[in-house]
Amino acid sequence: MSYSFPLGTAQLQALPSGALYWAEKSLLVVSDLHFGKSDRLARRGGALLPPYETRATLMKLDHDLTTTAARRVICLGDSFDDLTAAGEMVEEDSLWLTRLMAGRDWTWIEGNHDAGPLALGGTHLAVLRVGAVTFRHIATAEIYEISGHYHPKARLPGRTAPCFLMDAARVIMPAYGAYTGGLYCDHPDLQALMQPRALAVLTGPTCLARPMR
Amino acid sequence: MHLPPTLSAWFDAQGWSLHPHQLAMLDRAQDPATLLIAPTGGGKTLAGFLPSLAELAVGYQGLHTLYISPLKALTADIRRNLRRPVEGANLPIRIEDRTGDTSYTQRRRQRADPPHILLTTPESLALLLTYPDAAKVFAGLQRVIIDEIHALAESKRGDQLMLQLARLEAIAPGLRRIGLSATVEDPPALARFLSPKAQVLLADPGPDPDIQMLVPPMPPPWAGGGGKYAIPAILDQVKAHRITLIFHNTRAQAEIFFHNLWLANEDLLPIGIHHGSLAREQRERVEAAMVAGQLRAVVCTGSLDLGLDWGDVDLVIQVGAPKNIKRLVQRIGRANHRYNAPSKALLVPANRFEVVECQAALEAVKAHTLDGEPRGPGPRDVLCQHILATACAGPFGAAALYAEVTTAGPYAALTQPEFDASLDFVATGGYALRAYDRWQRLMIRDGKWTLRDPRAAAVIRQNLGTIIDIETLKVALKGRGAPLGEIEESFAATLTPGDTFLMGGEVVRFSGLRDLTVEVTRDPGRPPKVAVFNGTKFATSTELSDRILRILQQDSWPDLPLHTAQWLTHQREVSRLPHPDRLLVESFPHDGREHLCIYGFAGRNAQQTLGLLVTKEMESMGLDPLGFVATDYATLIWGLQPLQDTALFCKTRLADGLETWLAGNAVMKRTFRNTATIAGLIERNNQGRRTTGRQATFSSDILYDTLRRFDPDHLLLSITRDEAMRGLVDFGRIEALLDRVGPRIDLIRLPRITPLAAPLMLEPGVVPIQGKGRERLASDAARQLLRDAGLG
């Protein structure tokens, strides 16, 4: 079950998967997909992790696009673990991604892991404005801003999960990628960004909201 | 073989005469492998070294004997003890030790110019063998002595060591092996573990121990551990003896006990503490004070189960149920290290259930029954690590390595396909999706397997070893930096500045976290919050559980303290006592929740699994279970609805549940984490950086879930499953229980909590059920938090 909330005049929905849906604009937002993470670790001579995180993430994205029928998609940065990973995506996965992109207005926001152009099509931007809302990778002091980067997570009795952080001015999105860790929402960096009455909305079978602090 | 004359003369001058089994070791000096089983104090270690001393007396060039001990502390002790006769008899023998504590320069020098006798641990040996010069260092090796092999054989450290011996024997053919062991239940099995060619040599076991239960005037508490109630009685015993060892089953209990002991120690008897979470300097100080005779008692854990020869220990006190008869007997052997003198020991039950278990243990020791579960074939995660370590030393051929590892006892039955799958995992990740063609870890070059990136060797070396520690952080005094010990990271995360906890028996106050070190100040005034250490949870053995059930069936209990006998009588009046051939299940309401208590006496791990399986069935029956707690004797479940019939206690039904349940549960995830770490999928260390939760690494649970979803036949999942079934899941004991009781399951409905169930309410370690009931509570809690914050 999703969690609905306003940001300025925009009426938004936090989905249980960690995506954000803006129905009025038929817009789906996901952040920090980190495609190709296992590949990058292997290249560096480290452990050979199960090479399935890209398809796990695609499967989730496919499902969200099907259920929302979104016509527009914004990936809020760190979509690929690095630029080499973007180049080395296996054919099956890259076809799948192309199929998801087909017929949709698709924007890749630059992240700190994957700054620079991609061969995959879509629009590439550092910042995007839709109505009064600004989309970028790392949060600033701007009002009505949606960002990612921090991979916030939070606890409730019986559950620890990636979470959305939200207050009257901004939303910080959870990481959508399968192999992503997180920063607990009591971390000083996150505390400094959010207003005193900010909420943490946990992803999971149903979205659960709790005070961030 | 005979002793060198100067050594015989030195023994004579000391007034020592050799024991028959020590002489027998000289007679068997040419045998390829000997397992010596002798009681503590029987001069076992010297017996192991005599053939080496005799051979080295005539002069030798290079490394002759490798001595391996499970404990670092032991190697330093043995070096001191061995130097006395060597120097006394003026033998041309150089002896050195090498452990994780040995300095970098010393270790480098040892590889260039090894001593005649090198004393080390399995982990340090593993590291030595990963260097390309290993073949040169060990080329002339004649003998390997493995001390306390009974302890090593119970864990993956032993499996790893046997693979290393196979490696050594390939480098130095004709190598002779000696295993030294305390009393075990199955000597031939241990001999096969040591070597297919090993012969057993049994020394005279010595007189029976003098062992009793200590019954203080105040009855033990209903639940929990620690034995605080018995402190006055224990202090009286310490006063009446020269040196007492006070054993506890966990580090946390040892800490709390030690703290309380000092609060009551009005005579200021010198008493120290020793356990694995204390800093090395702390432990060494205690050991030195012990050797110098400055201490009257040491509160300790398994860290003193082995080794150190303290002749003056005349009493061993075991606080808490021993769980395992063999371990108890070995612990008792720590008292009176003099040969042919009876050891004296006292058992202190920590709660009412344990009174019965202690009584059962006393009877078992008197009857000379030992227990022990046979170990399965050598675990394949250890094999994976061995293959990776072998690749660090240099290129290897697959056929030669397979032939080599099957000479190791635990891997004698390893099949070619099993070996191939392990090699494939190490080289490519072993995934159904061939993903890493270009980035394989191992590649074939010139027909031999070799590391793709030789720089990876450094990280692999840092991640060797089969001991998986729970993540810990160092604790140090603020400003002075001297480490006091370690605490679990998860415990550290719960601390806020000002909180107090126990460390090394003193109360310290948390002031902050700096560079992965917990900074504290001394704060003796306050009551402490308690540090949670990673205590090993041993399950009560089958043999002990059977004896407990037989005791419960007695008409009366003249051998038990009155308070315990009354407790059992009361249970018999209001409900029933568990019976060896029946399964007692009590159902009652308490504190607004429905409770179900299953007295399986199957040991902690199996009772835990039973709890998980039964609650899963209850969840699907709509009974909304909320949580459970398991002990060695019983499982207590609470929830919103009562259970009406016993149909779910059916082996096939539970086994079906097991298959689906095994998939997603926490025990499997924890087992997977250990297996994946040993096999090299998860790195503990990377170039000195510790990977911690703070650095936003993702948990091994995600890897586990991903593999289950996309690659369910992966090698690591199959290893995890095998392991969990044997160890933490222990489903075998549930099957044995259900086979034994058949249809004789007694579900009794009672109006209120029973005497036997009440103590379980106080047990720590509750397992929450992630079901509909919990989801409802989580959303209630979220709503409440919002309301409290004025946001709802």
Side-chain angles (χ1 to χ4, degrees), chain A residues 43 48-50 52 59 88, chain B residues 431 436 438-439 709 711:
Chain A
R43 237 181 297 134
L48 306 173
L49 297 185
Y52 304 109
M59 208 174 261
E88 296 204 343
Chain B
Y431 301 107
Y436 294 119
R438 289 173 54 200
W439 310 119
R709 209 162 136 206
D711 210 338

Side-chain angles (χ1 to χ4, degrees), chain B residues 443-720:
Chain B
M443 328 265 291
I444 295 186
R445 292 196 187 111
D446 305 328
K448 294 200 162 186
W449 288 95
T450 173
L451 284 179
R452 173 177 64 82
D453 181 355
R455 291 168 300 180
V459 178
I460 293 169
R461 287 193 186 104
Q462 286 176 344
N463 286 286
L464 286 184
T466 59
I467 307 173
I468 306 295
D469 285 330
I470 294 174
E471 291 293 319
T472 56
L473 297 174
K474 278 207 165 49
V475 179
L477 282 175
K478 194 176 178 186
R480 268 178 284 172
L484 296 174
E486 295 177 336
I487 57 174
E488 278 183 30
E489 193 168 323
S490 57
F491 175 70
T494 68
L495 294 173
T496 48
D499 279 351
T500 51
F501 59 98
L502 282 168
M503 178 47 64
E506 46 185 346
V507 181
V508 293
R509 188 213 310 235
F510 176 61
S511 54
L513 193 69
R514 220 187 55 184
D515 303 335
L516 293 180
T517 299
V518 177
E519 291 193 321
V520 297
T521 51
R522 290 205 167 93
D523 192 355
R526 298 230 215 145
K529 259 180 125 174
V530 174
V532 187
F533 295 110
N534 42 325
T536 349
K537 288 216 168 97
F538 293 99
T540 299
S541 70
T542 310
E543 171 67 30
L544 261 184
S545 298
D546 291 350
R547 284 180 175 272
I548 294 169
L549 282 168
R550 291 208 292 274
I551 290 175
L552 293 182
Q553 284 308 306
Q554 291 170 203
D555 292 333
S556 62
W557 299 276
D559 292 336
L560 292 177
L562 188 61
H563 47 69
T564 304
Q566 284 170 343
W567 171 54
L568 297 179
T569 308
H570 188 39
Q571 167 73 15
R572 186 171 273 162
E573 284 161 8
V574 304
S575 175
R576 295 182 197 179
L577 279 169
H579 189 282
D581 298 324
R582 309 186 75 86
L583 177 61
L584 175 64
V585 182
E586 292 176 336
S587 159
F588 51 84
H590 180 76
D591 205 16
R593 300 258 155 91
E594 277 300 328
H595 288 72
L596 193 70
C597 195
I598 309 161
Y599 300 95
F601 286 83
R604 185 182 295 269
N605 295 332
Q607 289 291 147
Q608 175 111 355
T609 299
L610 190 63
L612 289 159
L613 294 177
V614 169
T615 48
K616 188 179 164 296
E617 287 290 314
M618 290 171 71
E619 177 81 22
S620 64
M621 292 157 73
L623 301 180
D624 288 346
L626 293 171
F628 71 89
V629 67
T631 70
D632 283 297
Y633 321 111
T635 304
L636 179 69
I637 300 170
W638 52 94
L640 304 179
Q641 312 292 331
L643 182 73
Q644 302 292 357
D645 63 77
T646 61
L648 67 84
F649 293 100
C650 155
K651 200 165 71 174
T652 45
R653 190 159 160 194
L654 290 182
D656 283 350
L658 184 72
E659 288 307 314
T660 30
W661 162 78
L662 267 180
N665 84 85
V667 172
M668 284 293 277
K669 287 177 178 171
R670 193 165 58 202
T671 308
F672 175 79
R673 176 175 168 267
N674 293 352
T675 290
T677 306
I678 291 172
L681 185 69
I682 300 171
E683 288 167 357
R684 280 174 280 201
N685 296 290
N686 195 317
Q687 309 285 20
R689 277 185 292 121
R690 260 230 344 244
T691 47
T692 73
R694 268 164 244 286
Q695 291 164 343
T697 55
F698 52 95
S699 76
S700 61
D701 295 3
I702 293 174
L703 296 182
Y704 175 77
D705 290 336
T706 307
L707 272 182
R708 281 229 322 115
R709 209 162 136 206
F710 296 101
D711 210 338
D713 298 326
H714 191 263
L715 175 70
L716 285 193
L717 291 183
S718 117
I719 297 176
T720 301

Side-chain angles (χ1 to χ4, degrees), chain B residues 12 41 62 64 69 119 141 191 222 283 348 380 439 452 463 482 492 494 510 539 574 589 601 702 767:
Chain B
D12 291 345
H64 176 281
S69 141
L119 316 167
L141 189 67
W222 290 107
R283 278 180 283 159
V348 182
R380 284 170 293 159
W439 310 119
R452 173 177 64 82
N463 286 286
T494 68
F510 176 61
V574 304
F601 286 83
I702 293 174
V767 180

Side-chain angles (χ1 to χ4, degrees), chain A residues 97-201:
Chain A
L97 180 57
T98 311
R99 189 159 49 78
L100 295 182
M101 292 175 71
R104 291 193 169 93
D105 176 357
W106 199 286
T107 305
W108 303 101
I109 300 284
E110 284 174 12
N112 52 313
H113 275 257
D114 64 347
L118 297 165
L120 264 162
T123 314
H124 300 274
L125 294 171
V127 182
L128 171 66
R129 290 199 171 74
V130 178
V133 180
T134 305
F135 294 89
R136 61 159 55 89
H137 183 57
I138 304 181
T140 66
E142 202 169 332
I143 305 291
Y144 304 143
E145 177 195 72
I146 298 178
S147 63
H149 180 64
Y150 290 98
H151 303 198
K153 58 181 180 180
R155 298 187 182 97
L156 267 177
R159 187 192 295 184
T160 298
C163 68
F164 295 85
L165 296 180
M166 54 186 69
D167 59 27
R170 77 194 67 259
V171 177
I172 298 181
M173 304 257 305
Y176 196 78
Y179 290 175
T180 47
L183 204 57
Y184 277 108
C185 62
D186 57 7
H187 192 276
D189 291 358
L190 290 170
Q191 297 275 336
L193 283 165
M194 303 302 293
Q195 295 172 0
R197 288 164 64 84
L199 294 182
V201 175

